[in-house]
Amino acid sequence: MSLRFHEIAESRHRILNPLTDDKLRLLGEICGFTPGTRILDLACGKGVLLSRWAHEHAIEGVGVDISEVFLEAARKRAEELAVADRVKFVGADASTYTDAPESYDVVSCIGATWIGGGLKGTLALMRRFLRPDGLVLVGECYWQSPRHPRPSPLCRSARTISPH
Protein backbone atom coordinates (compact mmCIF):
# COMPACT_ATOMS: atom_id res chain seq x y z
CA MET A 1 0.00 0.00 0.00
CA SER A 2 1.38 3.42 -0.91
CA LEU A 3 2.04 6.08 1.70
CA ARG A 4 -0.38 8.49 -0.03
CA PHE A 5 -3.14 5.86 0.05
CA HIS A 6 -2.52 5.38 3.77
CA GLU A 7 -2.61 9.15 4.38
CA ILE A 8 -5.97 9.41 2.60
CA ALA A 9 -7.46 6.32 4.25
CA GLU A 10 -6.43 7.54 7.72
CA SER A 11 -7.24 11.23 7.16
CA ARG A 12 -10.21 11.25 9.56
CA HIS A 13 -8.61 9.07 12.23
CA ARG A 14 -6.73 10.64 15.10
CA ILE A 15 -5.27 7.36 16.43
CA LEU A 16 -3.64 5.33 13.64
CA ASN A 17 -3.05 2.09 15.50
CA PRO A 18 -5.10 -0.65 17.14
CA LEU A 19 -5.98 1.39 20.26
CA THR A 20 -9.04 3.28 21.40
CA ASP A 21 -8.81 6.48 23.45
CA ASP A 22 -9.74 4.51 26.57
CA LYS A 23 -7.10 1.84 25.95
CA LEU A 24 -4.45 4.48 25.30
CA ARG A 25 -5.32 6.16 28.59
CA LEU A 26 -5.29 2.80 30.43
CA LEU A 27 -1.92 1.85 28.92
CA GLY A 28 -0.44 5.12 30.15
CA GLU A 29 -1.80 4.46 33.64
CA ILE A 30 -0.52 0.87 33.72
CA CYS A 31 2.98 2.00 32.67
CA GLY A 32 3.13 4.32 35.67
CA PHE A 33 5.10 7.07 33.92
CA THR A 34 6.77 9.71 36.05
CA PRO A 35 7.45 13.26 34.88
CA GLY A 36 10.44 13.32 32.56
CA THR A 37 10.12 9.69 31.40
CA ARG A 38 11.69 9.62 27.91
CA ILE A 39 9.73 7.80 25.21
CA LEU A 40 10.65 7.03 21.60
CA ASP A 41 7.61 6.18 19.45
CA LEU A 42 8.59 4.53 16.16
CA ALA A 43 6.07 4.90 13.30
CA CYS A 44 4.21 7.40 15.50
CA GLY A 45 1.57 8.39 12.95
CA LYS A 46 -0.22 11.50 14.17
CA GLY A 47 1.66 11.46 17.47
CA VAL A 48 -1.37 10.91 19.70
CA LEU A 49 0.44 8.56 22.08
CA LEU A 50 3.24 11.02 22.82
CA SER A 51 1.11 14.15 22.97
CA ARG A 52 -1.51 12.59 25.21
CA TRP A 53 1.03 11.09 27.58
CA ALA A 54 3.02 14.32 27.67
CA HIS A 55 -0.19 16.09 28.64
CA GLU A 56 -1.42 13.47 31.13
CA HIS A 57 1.89 12.19 32.59
CA ALA A 58 4.45 14.93 31.80
CA ILE A 59 6.62 12.56 29.75
CA GLU A 60 9.12 13.76 27.14
CA GLY A 61 9.51 12.09 23.80
CA VAL A 62 10.38 11.76 20.16
CA GLY A 63 8.03 10.43 17.49
CA VAL A 64 9.37 9.15 14.19
CA ASP A 65 7.29 8.70 11.03
CA ILE A 66 7.77 8.85 7.25
CA SER A 67 4.55 10.78 6.57
CA GLU A 68 4.91 14.55 6.64
CA VAL A 69 1.09 14.74 6.54
CA PHE A 70 0.85 12.77 9.78
CA LEU A 71 3.78 14.62 11.35
CA GLU A 72 2.13 17.97 10.68
CA ALA A 73 -1.01 16.70 12.44
CA ALA A 74 1.20 15.48 15.32
CA ARG A 75 2.87 18.87 15.71
CA LYS A 76 -0.50 20.62 15.61
CA ARG A 77 -1.91 18.32 18.30
CA ALA A 78 1.15 18.89 20.50
CA GLU A 79 0.54 22.63 20.21
CA GLU A 80 -3.16 22.19 21.06
CA LEU A 81 -2.27 20.25 24.21
CA ALA A 82 0.52 22.72 25.09
CA VAL A 83 3.19 19.98 25.10
CA ALA A 84 5.24 20.99 22.05
CA ASP A 85 8.13 21.83 24.36
CA ARG A 86 8.25 18.20 25.58
CA VAL A 87 7.68 16.23 22.36
CA LYS A 88 9.46 16.36 19.03
CA PHE A 89 8.37 14.75 15.77
CA VAL A 90 10.99 13.65 13.24
CA GLY A 91 10.45 12.85 9.58
CA ALA A 92 12.42 9.64 9.03
CA ASP A 93 12.08 5.99 8.18
CA ALA A 94 11.63 4.27 11.55
CA SER A 95 13.53 1.22 10.27
CA THR A 96 16.72 3.25 9.74
CA TYR A 97 16.27 5.98 12.36
CA THR A 98 19.37 6.75 14.42
CA ASP A 99 19.65 8.27 17.88
CA ALA A 100 21.85 7.83 20.93
CA PRO A 101 21.93 4.19 22.05
CA GLU A 102 20.14 3.35 25.28
CA SER A 103 18.73 6.87 25.62
CA TYR A 104 15.03 6.12 26.20
CA ASP A 105 13.12 4.75 29.17
CA VAL A 106 10.37 3.46 26.87
CA VAL A 107 10.41 2.55 23.18
CA SER A 108 7.05 1.96 21.51
CA CYS A 109 5.87 0.67 18.17
CA ILE A 110 2.12 0.23 18.17
CA GLY A 111 0.56 -1.25 15.04
CA ALA A 112 3.63 -1.07 12.80
CA THR A 113 5.93 -4.06 13.25
CA TRP A 114 6.41 -3.96 9.49
CA ILE A 115 9.22 -1.44 10.22
CA GLY A 116 11.47 -4.33 11.23
CA GLY A 117 10.00 -6.93 8.88
CA GLY A 118 7.92 -8.44 11.70
CA LEU A 119 7.98 -8.69 15.47
CA LYS A 120 11.49 -10.12 15.87
CA GLY A 121 13.14 -7.50 13.65
CA THR A 122 11.14 -4.67 15.21
CA LEU A 123 12.18 -5.71 18.71
CA ALA A 124 15.82 -5.69 17.57
CA LEU A 125 15.38 -2.13 16.23
CA MET A 126 13.73 -0.99 19.45
CA ARG A 127 16.28 -2.58 21.75
CA ARG A 128 19.07 -0.31 20.43
CA PHE A 129 17.42 2.80 21.90
CA LEU A 130 16.25 1.30 25.19
CA ARG A 131 17.99 1.98 28.50
CA PRO A 132 18.78 -1.04 30.67
CA ASP A 133 15.60 -2.05 32.50
CA GLY A 134 13.57 0.04 30.03
CA LEU A 135 10.09 -0.80 28.80
CA VAL A 136 9.15 -1.92 25.28
CA LEU A 137 5.58 -1.34 24.10
CA VAL A 138 4.59 -3.32 21.02
CA GLY A 139 1.13 -3.74 19.61
CA GLU A 140 0.00 -5.26 16.38
CA CYS A 141 -3.23 -5.77 14.48
CA TYR A 142 -4.39 -9.30 13.94
CA TRP A 143 -7.34 -11.12 12.40
CA GLN A 144 -9.81 -12.46 14.97
CA SER A 145 -10.86 -15.14 12.51
CA PRO A 146 -9.13 -16.51 9.43
CA ARG A 147 -9.67 -14.31 6.42
CA HIS A 148 -10.46 -15.61 2.98
CA PRO A 149 -7.42 -15.83 0.72
CA ARG A 150 -9.33 -13.80 -1.89
CA PRO A 151 -12.80 -12.23 -2.07
CA SER A 152 -15.59 -14.22 -3.64
CA PRO A 153 -16.79 -13.18 -7.12
CA LEU A 154 -20.01 -11.92 -5.50
CA CYS A 155 -18.08 -9.47 -3.35
CA ARG A 156 -16.29 -8.06 -6.36
CA SER A 157 -19.57 -7.73 -8.28
CA ALA A 158 -21.32 -6.06 -5.36
CA ARG A 159 -18.84 -3.21 -5.50
CA THR A 160 -19.90 -2.28 -9.01
CA ILE A 161 -23.67 -2.40 -8.43
CA SER A 162 -25.28 0.95 -7.70
CA PRO A 163 -27.45 1.01 -4.55
CA HIS A 164 -30.16 3.04 -6.45
Side-chain angles (χ1 to χ4, degrees):
M1 177 175 6
S2 76
L3 176 60
R4 184 68 184 134
F5 177 84
H6 189 62
E7 291 168 343
I8 292 168
E10 300 285 356
S11 65
R12 295 186 184 194
H13 299 152
R14 180 170 283 179
I15 300 176
L16 306 184
N17 54 49
L19 289 177
T20 63
D21 279 322
D22 290 339
K23 288 180 181 178
L24 182 60
R25 183 175 293 108
L26 178 60
L27 182 58
E29 291 171 11
I30 289 169
C31 290
F33 300 129
T34 57
T37 297
R38 288 186 35 88
I39 300 175
L40 174 64
D41 188 17
L42 297 173
C44 70
K46 294 181 180 178
V48 174
L49 180 146
L50 285 176
S51 291
R52 287 266 307 271
W53 289 349
H55 181 72
E56 295 169 2
H57 304 283
I59 63 95
E60 299 173 6
V62 175
V64 178
D65 205 281
I66 58 173
S67 169
E68 285 301 324
V69 171
F70 294 159
L71 292 170
E72 184 57 36
R75 292 179 187 110
K76 181 179 177 184
R77 185 64 176 151
E79 290 288 337
E80 290 169 359
L81 293 175
V83 297
D85 60 327
R86 290 195 301 263
V87 294
K88 177 174 101 174
F89 296 99
V90 177
D93 183 335
S95 68
T96 58
Y97 177 70
T98 58
D99 203 336
E102 299 182 353
S103 57
Y104 292 91
D105 302 302
V106 179
V107 179
S108 64
C109 180
I110 310 292
T113 59
W114 49 265
I115 67 168
L119 180 60
K120 185 176 179 180
T122 300
L123 288 171
L125 288 173
M126 297 169 78
R127 194 172 292 123
R128 297 185 311 206
F129 306 111
L130 194 63
R131 290 184 176 149
D133 298 324
L135 180 64
V136 170
L137 300 176
V138 178
E140 191 59 17
C141 300
Y142 62 92
W143 291 96
Q144 289 184 336
S145 59
R147 62 184 199 157
H148 285 283
R150 60 181 189 180
S152 76
L154 294 176
C155 291
R156 286 193 298 273
S157 298
R159 290 186 197 129
T160 60
I161 297 172
S162 171
H164 304 294

